[in-house]
Amino acid sequence: MPQIRVEMTDLDVVERVATQFGRTVLRHPPREVGHKPSFSTTVKGAGAVYFMRLVEPVLGARRREQIAAALSGPHNERVRWLRRGADCTVSGCPKPSLKRSLCKSHYDSWWKATRRGQTSPFTPRGPDLLRVRLDMPTPDDASGTSWLAGLLEGEGTFSMNGTYPTISVNMCDRDVISRAAALMALDETRVWEPFDARDEARGWSRSYATAVTGARAAELMRTLRPLMGSRRRAAIDRALAVYEPVRLVKPPAQCIVAGCDRPHRSRGLCNTHYMKWSRDRLKGREARVLPLR
């Protein structure tokens, strides 16, 4: 039977997924000493088939292969109204829907008319109504923001690299990492393989990573924050709280030090004067040159 199972240590994230699935949340004890308890939710059967079809267009190659294998079974063509409790869609009918948006009386009436080759005055609706009722981003998200938020919720890291905010992600699917890099305005050269001989000796799969830092990372954090769970929002808040932008919007063409005509490198200084200022700052000495910021 097809099924989708989500397990994480973030209860609020799993609860949000469970709401979309219309299922409950289970708590699992820590697997080892020092580990956190985890939470899971699962949808099976026709419900899993529907959600697989819904998210398949935005998934990576490995996940699409898994979905293709799952949908090759007998549940592939089944259609089921996944949630009860909504009103019957027939105008003026106050009864709750039972099957395919119709109450029992209207569903039976439609079914009998169909079996007899007659025309029914009303038509049941299938999974299309479910998509409208779910509070879920649809796969046609042109900007990819929802997709990126979902990926980083599960696999990403929001941190500080010195004084700069950083967003990084590391996983085994290169096509997924490449898409994340593109959405973070990075080129393919910013995708690398953090893999060494020790990982290979352990039998681990080859992994790929990408990261963005500085002003672009801060901008992405502010955009993604409303879509993240409580743990990720807290990490974003910690990173942004200590971030002080130092990039010049319109840097000068050459060094600002009097008599220096070398090209600008950073903070209004050429490479030589920038390194002189940087060493003075690191060693706690009075700066011999002062940058613009």
Side-chain angles (χ1 to χ4, degrees):
M1 176 180 294
Q3 72 171 16
I4 303 174
R5 185 172 187 271
V6 178
E7 182 173 353
M8 300 179 65
T9 58
D10 298 299
L11 177 58
D12 60 321
V13 177
V14 177
E15 286 178 338
R16 185 176 178 185
V17 176
T19 300
Q20 310 302 334
F21 285 172
R23 297 296 186 267
T24 189
V25 175
L26 299 179
R27 184 184 186 279
H28 307 280
R31 291 187 173 89
E32 297 181 15
V33 176
H35 286 199
K36 297 179 180 179
S38 62
F39 305 90
S40 69
T41 185
T42 305
V43 60
K44 300 180 180 180
V49 171
Y50 170 74
F51 283 103
M52 287 180 186
R53 290 174 176 168
L54 180 65
V55 302
E56 182 181 11
V58 298
L59 296 180
R62 182 168 60 90
R63 295 299 189 186
R64 291 198 300 269
E65 291 176 0
Q66 292 176 346
I67 289 176
L71 296 185
S72 63
H75 290 264
N76 188 28
E77 300 301 327
R78 294 186 62 182
V79 176
R80 180 181 297 174
W81 179 248
L82 299 180
R83 290 191 180 184
R84 302 181 181 182
D87 293 338
C88 177
T89 56
V90 176
S91 178
C93 181
K95 299 178 182 178
S97 64
L98 178 67
K99 294 182 179 180
R100 300 185 65 178
S101 77
L102 298 176
C103 65
K104 185 178 187 304
S105 299
H106 287 113
Y107 179 83
D108 291 343
S109 177
W110 167 81
W111 176 251
K112 292 176 182 177
T114 303
R115 291 293 298 271
R116 295 169 183 170
Q118 302 173 352
T119 302
S120 174
F122 40 82
T123 303
R125 300 184 65 181
D128 61 318
L129 182 61
L130 181 64
R131 178 180 297 184
V132 176
R133 298 180 60 202
L134 285 177
D135 180 22
M136 174 183 289
T138 54
D140 58 355
D141 177 17
S143 66
T145 302
S146 298
W147 182 91
L148 184 61
L151 175 69
L152 296 177
E153 181 69 74
E155 305 292 341
T157 300
F158 299 88
S159 60
M160 289 293 293
N161 182 8
T163 59
Y164 297 99
T166 300
I167 302 174
S168 59
V169 58
N170 185 340
M171 57 189 304
C172 297
D173 299 297
R174 186 183 180 91
D175 59 330
V176 177
I177 292 295
S178 296
R179 184 180 180 189
L183 290 174
M184 293 191 292
L186 303 173
D187 56 46
E188 187 64 22
T189 61
R190 295 297 300 274
V191 176
W192 66 89
E193 300 180 16
F195 192 83
D196 58 32
R198 290 174 299 178
D199 298 333
E200 191 171 9
R202 296 186 184 104
W204 293 358
S205 300
R206 189 172 298 276
S207 62
Y208 305 91
T210 189
V212 61
T213 188
R216 176 56 180 162
E219 178 185 356
L220 279 171
M221 287 181 180
R222 296 186 185 99
T223 301
L224 297 173
R225 187 185 184 282
L227 303 175
M228 311 306 287
S230 59
R231 182 164 62 94
R232 300 298 189 188
R233 288 199 302 269
I236 290 173
D237 292 341
R238 287 194 298 270
L240 294 179
V242 296
Y243 173 53
E244 297 182 3
V246 296
R247 176 176 294 179
L248 297 175
V249 177
K250 294 182 180 180
Q254 63 185 35
C255 182
I256 63 170
V257 176
C260 181
D261 57 358
R262 297 188 184 96
H264 171 266
R265 184 234 171 164
S266 180
R267 296 191 179 219
L269 302 174
C270 65
N271 182 71
T272 301
H273 287 113
Y274 176 82
M275 294 305 298
K276 182 180 295 186
W277 167 81
S278 179
R279 292 190 187 99
D280 289 343
R281 186 183 63 161
L282 290 175
K283 294 180 179 180
R285 300 185 303 215
E286 183 178 355
R288 291 167 285 178
V289 294
L290 296 177
L292 289 180
R293 295 189 62 179

